[in-house]
PDB file of all heavy atoms in Angstrom:
ATOM      1  N   VAL A 466     221.850  -6.584 -43.120  1.00 96.00           N
ATOM      2  CA  VAL A 466     221.929  -5.291 -43.791  1.00 96.00           C
ATOM      3  C   VAL A 466     220.571  -4.911 -44.363  1.00 96.00           C
ATOM      4  O   VAL A 466     220.174  -3.742 -44.351  1.00 96.00           O
ATOM      5  CB  VAL A 466     223.017  -5.319 -44.877  1.00 96.00           C
ATOM      6  CG1 VAL A 466     222.943  -4.084 -45.758  1.00 96.00           C
ATOM      7  CG2 VAL A 466     224.404  -5.424 -44.231  1.00 96.00           C
ATOM      8  N   ALA A 467     219.838  -5.895 -44.843  1.00 96.00           N
ATOM      9  CA  ALA A 467     218.491  -5.619 -45.365  1.00 96.00           C
ATOM     10  C   ALA A 467     217.593  -5.022 -44.295  1.00 96.00           C
ATOM     11  O   ALA A 467     216.720  -4.188 -44.591  1.00 96.00           O
ATOM     12  CB  ALA A 467     217.882  -6.896 -45.929  1.00 96.00           C
ATOM     13  N   ASP A 468     217.801  -5.439 -43.047  1.00 95.00           N
ATOM     14  CA  ASP A 468     216.986  -4.921 -41.947  1.00 95.00           C
ATOM     15  C   ASP A 468     217.264  -3.452 -41.652  1.00 95.00           C
ATOM     16  O   ASP A 468     216.487  -2.808 -40.935  1.00 95.00           O
ATOM     17  CB  ASP A 468     217.239  -5.732 -40.669  1.00 95.00           C
ATOM     18  CG  ASP A 468     216.753  -7.165 -40.773  1.00 95.00           C
ATOM     19  OD1 ASP A 468     215.758  -7.399 -41.477  1.00 95.00           O
ATOM     20  OD2 ASP A 468     217.386  -8.049 -40.152  1.00 95.00           O
ATOM     21  N   MET A 469     218.344  -2.926 -42.196  1.00 97.00           N
ATOM     22  CA  MET A 469     218.720  -1.539 -41.907  1.00 97.00           C
ATOM     23  C   MET A 469     218.177  -0.566 -42.949  1.00 97.00           C
ATOM     24  O   MET A 469     218.667   0.565 -43.086  1.00 97.00           O
ATOM     25  CB  MET A 469     220.242  -1.413 -41.820  1.00 97.00           C
ATOM     26  CG  MET A 469     220.880  -2.411 -40.866  1.00 97.00           C
ATOM     27  SD  MET A 469     220.140  -2.414 -39.208  1.00 97.00           S
ATOM     28  CE  MET A 469     220.835  -0.907 -38.547  1.00 97.00           C
ATOM     29  N   ALA A 470     217.144  -0.977 -43.655  1.00 97.00           N
ATOM     30  CA  ALA A 470     216.540  -0.094 -44.665  1.00 97.00           C
ATOM     31  C   ALA A 470     216.088   1.227 -44.049  1.00 97.00           C
ATOM     32  O   ALA A 470     216.121   2.272 -44.704  1.00 97.00           O
ATOM     33  CB  ALA A 470     215.358  -0.807 -45.328  1.00 97.00           C
ATOM     34  N   TRP A 471     215.678   1.202 -42.781  1.00 97.00           N
ATOM     35  CA  TRP A 471     215.246   2.433 -42.111  1.00 97.00           C
ATOM     36  C   TRP A 471     216.395   3.436 -42.007  1.00 97.00           C
ATOM     37  O   TRP A 471     216.171   4.643 -42.116  1.00 97.00           O
ATOM     38  CB  TRP A 471     214.680   2.118 -40.726  1.00 97.00           C
ATOM     39  CG  TRP A 471     215.648   1.485 -39.781  1.00 97.00           C
ATOM     40  CD1 TRP A 471     215.917   0.157 -39.629  1.00 97.00           C
ATOM     41  CD2 TRP A 471     216.498   2.164 -38.841  1.00 97.00           C
ATOM     42  NE1 TRP A 471     216.871  -0.044 -38.659  1.00 97.00           N
ATOM     43  CE2 TRP A 471     217.246   1.168 -38.152  1.00 97.00           C
ATOM     44  CE3 TRP A 471     216.686   3.495 -38.500  1.00 97.00           C
ATOM     45  CZ2 TRP A 471     218.175   1.466 -37.166  1.00 97.00           C
ATOM     46  CZ3 TRP A 471     217.612   3.813 -37.516  1.00 97.00           C
ATOM     47  CH2 TRP A 471     218.345   2.802 -36.857  1.00 97.00           C
ATOM     48  N   GLN A 472     217.616   2.929 -41.807  1.00 98.00           N
ATOM     49  CA  GLN A 472     218.759   3.840 -41.766  1.00 98.00           C
ATOM     50  C   GLN A 472     218.992   4.482 -43.135  1.00 98.00           C
ATOM     51  O   GLN A 472     219.275   5.678 -43.222  1.00 98.00           O
ATOM     52  CB  GLN A 472     220.030   3.094 -41.344  1.00 98.00           C
ATOM     53  CG  GLN A 472     220.239   2.976 -39.869  1.00 98.00           C
ATOM     54  CD  GLN A 472     221.679   2.589 -39.531  1.00 98.00           C
ATOM     55  OE1 GLN A 472     222.555   2.504 -40.391  1.00 98.00           O
ATOM     56  NE2 GLN A 472     221.921   2.342 -38.247  1.00 98.00           N
ATOM     57  N   ARG A 473     218.871   3.676 -44.171  1.00 98.00           N
ATOM     58  CA  ARG A 473     219.108   4.210 -45.519  1.00 98.00           C
ATOM     59  C   ARG A 473     218.037   5.237 -45.883  1.00 98.00           C
ATOM     60  O   ARG A 473     218.334   6.263 -46.516  1.00 98.00           O
ATOM     61  CB  ARG A 473     219.175   3.067 -46.535  1.00 98.00           C
ATOM     62  CG  ARG A 473     220.389   2.164 -46.316  1.00 98.00           C
ATOM     63  CD  ARG A 473     220.552   1.114 -47.385  1.00 98.00           C
ATOM     64  NE  ARG A 473     219.576   0.042 -47.303  1.00 98.00           N
ATOM     65  CZ  ARG A 473     219.669  -1.012 -46.491  1.00 98.00           C
ATOM     66  NH1 ARG A 473     220.709  -1.130 -45.671  1.00 98.00           N
ATOM     67  NH2 ARG A 473     218.737  -1.950 -46.477  1.00 98.00           N
ATOM     68  N   GLU A 474     216.810   4.995 -45.469  1.00 98.00           N
ATOM     69  CA  GLU A 474     215.746   5.968 -45.738  1.00 98.00           C
ATOM     70  C   GLU A 474     215.981   7.248 -44.943  1.00 98.00           C
ATOM     71  O   GLU A 474     215.772   8.355 -45.456  1.00 98.00           O
ATOM     72  CB  GLU A 474     214.383   5.378 -45.394  1.00 98.00           C
ATOM     73  CG  GLU A 474     213.212   6.321 -45.643  1.00 98.00           C
ATOM     74  CD  GLU A 474     213.119   6.820 -47.075  1.00 98.00           C
ATOM     75  OE1 GLU A 474     213.584   6.111 -48.000  1.00 98.00           O
ATOM     76  OE2 GLU A 474     212.591   7.932 -47.282  1.00 98.00           O
ATOM     77  N   ARG A 475     216.420   7.116 -43.702  1.00 98.00           N
ATOM     78  CA  ARG A 475     216.735   8.299 -42.890  1.00 98.00           C
ATOM     79  C   ARG A 475     217.824   9.128 -43.561  1.00 98.00           C
ATOM     80  O   ARG A 475     217.735  10.362 -43.614  1.00 98.00           O
ATOM     81  CB  ARG A 475     217.174   7.875 -41.488  1.00 98.00           C
ATOM     82  CG  ARG A 475     217.596   9.040 -40.602  1.00 98.00           C
ATOM     83  CD  ARG A 475     218.145   8.558 -39.259  1.00 98.00           C
ATOM     84  NE  ARG A 475     217.093   8.062 -38.379  1.00 98.00           N
ATOM     85  CZ  ARG A 475     217.321   7.498 -37.185  1.00 98.00           C
ATOM     86  NH1 ARG A 475     218.571   7.324 -36.768  1.00 98.00           N
ATOM     87  NH2 ARG A 475     216.312   7.091 -36.431  1.00 98.00           N
ATOM     88  N   LEU A 476     218.849   8.472 -44.064  1.00 98.00           N
ATOM     89  CA  LEU A 476     219.923   9.199 -44.743  1.00 98.00           C
ATOM     90  C   LEU A 476     219.392   9.915 -45.976  1.00 98.00           C
ATOM     91  O   LEU A 476     219.749  11.081 -46.234  1.00 98.00           O
ATOM     92  CB  LEU A 476     221.052   8.240 -45.119  1.00 98.00           C
ATOM     93  CG  LEU A 476     222.205   8.838 -45.932  1.00 98.00           C
ATOM     94  CD1 LEU A 476     222.826  10.044 -45.232  1.00 98.00           C
ATOM     95  CD2 LEU A 476     223.276   7.778 -46.198  1.00 98.00           C
ATOM     96  N   ARG A 477     218.521   9.255 -46.729  1.00 98.00           N
ATOM     97  CA  ARG A 477     217.946   9.892 -47.924  1.00 98.00           C
ATOM     98  C   ARG A 477     217.179  11.166 -47.541  1.00 98.00           C
ATOM     99  O   ARG A 477     217.284  12.192 -48.230  1.00 98.00           O
ATOM    100  CB  ARG A 477     217.022   8.917 -48.647  1.00 98.00           C
ATOM    101  CG  ARG A 477     217.750   7.750 -49.302  1.00 98.00           C
ATOM    102  CD  ARG A 477     216.791   6.818 -50.051  1.00 98.00           C
ATOM    103  NE  ARG A 477     217.481   5.610 -50.483  1.00 98.00           N
ATOM    104  CZ  ARG A 477     218.241   5.520 -51.573  1.00 98.00           C
ATOM    105  NH1 ARG A 477     218.395   6.587 -52.346  1.00 98.00           N
ATOM    106  NH2 ARG A 477     218.833   4.393 -51.892  1.00 98.00           N
TER     107      ARG A 477
END
Side-chain angles (χ1 to χ4, degrees):
V466 169
D468 293 328
M469 308 308 285
W471 62 272
Q472 274 196 6
R473 294 186 287 278
E474 180 57 27
R475 177 185 287 175
L476 176 55
R477 291 182 189 279

